[in-house]
């Protein structure tokens, strides 16, 4: 019987009519035998003559409503000539074809604001809006900047806003909301191009296009370097709201072979070892190098499949989100494991909510490392309103614990809190789709914990395949195991909230229960499994937690004496 203290992870695939009413004076006619046509003719004639002789007659004036006029330019850095611009408004719709300079003008009789506009841009489209409360003649440019602004304004893909232009969608298009979306876009693109002086919707691009063309050129270059499409940018902006840090992250230049590895500043957590701690590092993804806090620089060698190595043979594994794991030589034949996340500045309000926590550490240098679980709730001001200690066992039953102090911004990055007299630093990272993870660490790195928002899990689909790297730390704080694994879901049981998965490495199967011990967690009971060769595999009990859509999962032991802490990264 082989001993298999294994911590693989299953990453849940867990995406007017205007009616002109003519007034009629009812007249008692002396000759009722006259034809209907003559009667109408007489009435019209009297009205036209004004009645005369002071008989009280009056004139009728017909007023033609002012049409709604939308105009502007369609450009992606080069004028979009000869394309159709369609407008859909609260009342009325219309279309026009752009001229050689990309200019269009749409006149809509009986049109009423707000409106959303669309024009083709190659295989995609560009969108714009005209807000309610404006006059009857408005400018609405269609550019990649207007497209991005509309995504943030709508909180959805601009194409969805156009396709589903109902009262809720119309209600979003106000001057105030547009101003907020514009401010968000300015902040999001600050590292790419300065658009403070630009109004993406209303600037006169016929007479003064240069500044916008320059900004569009810089944005196009940034998207290319970041290996992003306009649709990718739109999706991130739609999710971001006013929290623009994730957009700044994904707009960083990416490695030519691994879009998860992006240039920029990162936090490196080196836990559990005597020289551990936290430091800021800088990665150059285009030129494949990493610069450490001591100014030393390592060249990265692309090993393929989002795995990189350094000259010292340190191994780096990168998830699509940018969360990264590092295996490094720790001396005396030992291997250490470190965690890396992109540096972001998030407001404390962004971490409000209830969080599951899995951690690993020790209280004294002579004690073994052990795992634990906890659950805490933060309000929008960073105050802990609850803190539950779920212990080192399964953790179904938790007890009230001392509340940490209010989160305070650390000027060097992240937040600080104090728990039982000890300082803990907390760092936040949010993905492009809005999943947030927290990393907590003691200043000396003796403790490390990962927090994920509480969210109920659903069972994975039978046949779903997950590929990942999994590495665990044992009670000494050094690597206990490492594996590159692939698992396939072979069965699920909705009544029991369980699923079974098989491992490509040796064919053994194991069963896990979702939302156990807490919503958002999974429990794998201890078992003896059979591998493809007929041998047996000891499967250790574990609590697992996938952190949103970061591609990162953590786990810890449940059984006393089998102390381990495992981290896993999705691989391509």
């Amino acid at each position: 019987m082989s001993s298999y203290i294994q911590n693989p992870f299953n990453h849940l695939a867990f995406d007017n009519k205007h009616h002109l009413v003519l007034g009629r004076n009812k007249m008692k006619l002396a000759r009722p035998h006259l034809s209907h046509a003559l009667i109408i003719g007489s009435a019209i004639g009297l009205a036209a003559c004004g009645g005369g002789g002071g008989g009280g007659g009056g004139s009728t004036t017909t007023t033609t409503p002012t049409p709604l006029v939308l105009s502007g330019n369609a450009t992606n850095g080069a004028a979009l000539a000869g394309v159709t611009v369609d407008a859909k408004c609260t009342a009325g719709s219309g279309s026009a074809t752009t001229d050689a300079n990309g200019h269009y003008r749409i006149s809509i009789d009986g049109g009423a604001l707000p409106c959303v506009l669309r024009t083709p841009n190659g295989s995609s489209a560009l969108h714009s809006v005209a807000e309610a409360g404006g006059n009857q003649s408005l400018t609405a440019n269609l550019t990649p900047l207007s497209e991005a602004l509309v995504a943030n304004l709508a909180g959805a893909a601009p194409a969805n806003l156009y396709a589903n232009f109902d009262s809720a969608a119309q209600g979003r298009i106000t001057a105030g909301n547009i101003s907020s979306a514009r401010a968000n876009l300015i902040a999001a693109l600050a590292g790419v191009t300065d658009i403070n002086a630009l109004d993406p919707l209303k600037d006169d691009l016929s007479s003064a296009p240069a500044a916008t063309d320059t900004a569009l050129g810089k944005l196009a270059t940034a998207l290319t370097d970041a290996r992003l499409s306009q649709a990718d940018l739109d999706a991130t902006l739609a999710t971001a709201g006013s929290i623009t840090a994730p957009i700044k992250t994904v707009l960083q230049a990416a490695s030519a072979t691994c879009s998860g590895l992006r240039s920029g500043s990162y936090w490196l957590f080196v836990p559990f070892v005597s020289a551990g701690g936290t430091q800021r590092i800088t990665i150059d993804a285009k030129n494949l190098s990493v610069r450490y806090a001591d100014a030393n620089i390592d060249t990265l060698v692309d090993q393929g499949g989002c795995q990189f190595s350094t000259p010292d043979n340190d191994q780096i594994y990168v998830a699509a989100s940018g969360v990264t794991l590092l295996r490094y030589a720790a001396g005396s034949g030992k291997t250490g494991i470190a965690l890396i996340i992109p540096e972001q500045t998030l407001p404390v309000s962004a971490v409000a909510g209830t969080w599951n926590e899995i951690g690993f550490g020790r209280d004294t240098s002579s004690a073994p490392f052990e795992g634990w679980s906890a659950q805490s709730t933060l309000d929008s001001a960073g105050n802990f309103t609850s803190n539950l200690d779920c212990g080192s066992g399964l953790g179904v039953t938790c007890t009230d614990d001392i509340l940490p102090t209010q989160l305070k911004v650390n000027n060097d990055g992240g937040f600080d809190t104090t728990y039982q007299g000890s300082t803990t630093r907390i760092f936040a990272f949010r993905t492009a789709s809005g999943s947030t993870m927290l990393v907590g660490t003691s200043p000396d790195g003796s403790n490390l914990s990962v927090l994920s928002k509480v969210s109920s899990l659903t069972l994975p689909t039978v046949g779903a395949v997950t590929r990942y790297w999994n590495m665990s730390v044992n009670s000494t704080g050094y690597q206990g195991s490492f594996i590159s694994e692939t698992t396939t879901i072979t069965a699920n049981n909705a009544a029991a909230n369980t699923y079974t998965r098989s491992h490509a490495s040796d064919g053994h199967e194991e069963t896990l229960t979702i939302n156990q011990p807490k919503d958002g967690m999974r429990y794998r009971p201890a078992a003896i499994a059979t591998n493809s060769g007929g041998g047996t595999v000891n499967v250790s009990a574990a609590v697992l937690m996938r952190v949103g859509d970061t591609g990162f999962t953590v786990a810890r032991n449940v059984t006393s004496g089998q102390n381990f802490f495992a981290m896993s990264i999705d691989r391509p």
Side-chain angles (χ1 to χ4, degrees):
M1 176 181 290
S2 65
S3 177
Y4 190 86
I5 299 179
Q6 184 259 1
N7 307 285
F9 298 78
N10 175 54
H11 302 318
L12 297 179
F14 319 85
D15 213 287
N16 286 324
K17 296 181 180 176
H18 282 258
H19 302 285
L20 184 59
V21 180
L22 298 177
R24 270 190 249 170
N25 292 323
K26 295 184 179 180
M27 304 176 67
K28 188 173 182 181
L29 301 178
R31 295 188 290 176
H33 63 279
L34 292 179
S35 68
H36 183 65
L38 290 176
I39 294 172
I40 294 175
S42 298
I44 294 174
L46 288 170
C49 292
S59 62
T60 300
T61 302
T62 301
T63 301
T64 302
T66 302
L68 173 63
V69 177
L70 303 171
S71 62
N73 285 66
T75 176
N76 58 12
L80 297 177
V83 297
T84 299
V85 177
D86 296 306
K88 185 187 293 185
C89 303
T90 298
S93 61
S95 62
T97 301
T98 59
D99 63 17
N101 298 312
H103 185 75
Y104 76 93
R105 184 181 186 278
I106 300 172
S107 180
I108 305 173
D109 290 336
L113 296 164
C115 302
V116 61
L117 299 91
R118 175 187 66 183
T119 193
N121 179 34
S123 60
S124 59
L126 298 175
H127 296 81
S128 190
V129 292
E131 73 273 17
N135 58 40
Q136 287 296 97
S137 181
L138 288 177
T139 299
N141 295 315
L142 297 102
T143 73
L145 289 175
S146 74
E147 173 81 359
L149 187 152
V150 171
N152 188 258
L153 171 71
N160 291 348
L161 179 72
Y162 187 90
N164 304 293
F165 197 53
D166 55 18
S167 59
Q170 295 161 19
R172 287 180 173 268
I173 307 175
T174 66
N177 287 344
I178 289 174
S179 178
S180 295
R182 181 184 172 192
N184 293 338
L185 186 62
I186 289 171
L189 300 185
V192 173
T193 181
D194 183 356
I195 60 170
N196 272 283
L198 303 183
D199 185 334
L201 303 183
K202 297 182 179 181
D203 281 343
D204 184 352
L205 301 187
S206 292
S207 61
T212 292
D213 287 346
T214 297
L216 291 176
K218 290 181 178 179
L219 177 58
T221 298
L223 290 176
T224 298
D225 288 348
R227 300 177 61 197
L228 294 178
S229 66
Q230 178 78 45
D232 295 328
L233 176 61
D234 292 348
T236 307
L237 282 160
T239 302
S242 61
I243 300 175
T244 58
I247 308 164
K248 295 177 180 179
T249 296
V250 299
L251 281 173
Q252 294 284 350
S255 157
T257 62
C258 177
S259 60
L261 184 69
R262 299 184 179 278
S263 296
S265 180
Y266 289 74
W267 289 112
L268 167 63
F269 307 99
V270 183
F272 317 135
V273 296
S274 58
T278 302
Q279 65 171 287
R280 181 185 283 109
I281 63 173
T282 303
I283 292 177
D284 182 340
K286 293 186 72 173
N287 296 304
L288 293 184
S289 67
V290 55
R291 181 185 180 94
Y292 299 99
D294 60 4
N296 283 326
I297 298 175
D298 271 342
T299 298
L300 300 180
V301 178
D302 191 344
Q303 302 292 341
C306 287
Q307 179 178 349
F308 300 85
S309 62
T310 70
D312 294 329
N313 203 34
D314 298 340
Q315 301 297 311
I316 297 171
Y317 309 87
V318 186
S321 67
V323 177
T324 299
L325 289 177
L326 166 67
R327 297 170 62 232
Y328 63 94
S332 302
K334 298 176 181 178
T335 299
I337 297 175
L339 171 64
I340 302 171
I341 63 172
E343 180 179 3
Q344 293 181 345
T345 300
L346 298 179
V348 69
S349 59
V351 300
T354 300
W355 299 82
N356 287 325
E357 176 182 0
I358 289 181
F360 198 67
R362 61 184 178 185
D363 295 328
T364 66
S365 59
S366 60
F369 289 93
E370 64 177 355
W372 73 83
S373 294
Q375 190 177 90
S376 56
T377 301
L378 282 158
D379 67 16
S380 60
N383 296 300
F384 285 86
T385 59
S386 73
N387 186 36
L388 300 177
D389 180 359
C390 302
S392 298
L394 179 55
V396 174
T397 302
C398 307
T399 59
D400 288 331
D401 198 1
I402 296 171
L403 294 178
T405 61
Q406 181 185 22
L407 288 186
K408 297 292 186 180
V409 173
N410 185 308
N411 291 332
D412 190 42
F415 307 98
D416 288 341
T417 184
T418 300
Y419 171 70
Q420 294 186 342
S422 299
T423 298
T424 296
R425 292 192 70 182
I426 295 180
F427 300 83
F429 168 67
R430 179 170 289 192
T431 68
S433 62
S435 289
T436 305
M437 69 179 286
L438 302 180
V439 177
T441 183
S442 55
D444 63 356
S446 59
N447 292 273
L448 181 76
S449 62
V450 176
L451 294 84
S452 179
K453 281 278 186 76
V454 173
S455 179
S456 183
L457 304 178
T458 59
L459 288 170
T461 303
V462 173
V465 175
T466 304
R467 296 158 51 87
Y468 55 91
W469 295 288
N470 179 57
M471 52 205 78
S472 67
V473 174
N474 58 31
S475 61
T476 68
Y478 293 99
Q479 177 182 295
S481 66
F482 170 79
I483 191 170
S484 177
E485 185 62 277
T486 300
T487 58
T488 302
I489 306 302
T490 58
N492 59 35
N493 184 330
N497 263 352
T498 62
Y499 66 92
T500 301
R501 62 183 183 181
S502 65
H503 295 75
S505 60
D506 63 4
H508 88 273
E509 291 192 340
E510 59 191 29
T511 298
L512 296 92
T513 303
I514 64 171
N515 300 316
Q516 177 78 350
K518 302 293 183 185
D519 278 358
M521 291 180 163
R522 292 171 289 153
Y523 170 56
R524 183 187 67 193
I528 297 177
T530 302
N531 61 30
S532 55
T536 58
V537 176
N538 285 332
V539 178
S540 56
V543 173
L544 305 87
M545 181 178 73
R546 181 173 174 86
V547 186
D549 66 353
T550 60
F552 176 64
T553 303
V554 291
R556 66 165 180 84
N557 63 286
V558 170
T559 305
S560 178
Q562 294 183 349
N563 298 7
F564 66 81
F565 177 75
M567 294 185 284
S568 169
I569 283 286
D570 286 357
R571 59 189 177 93

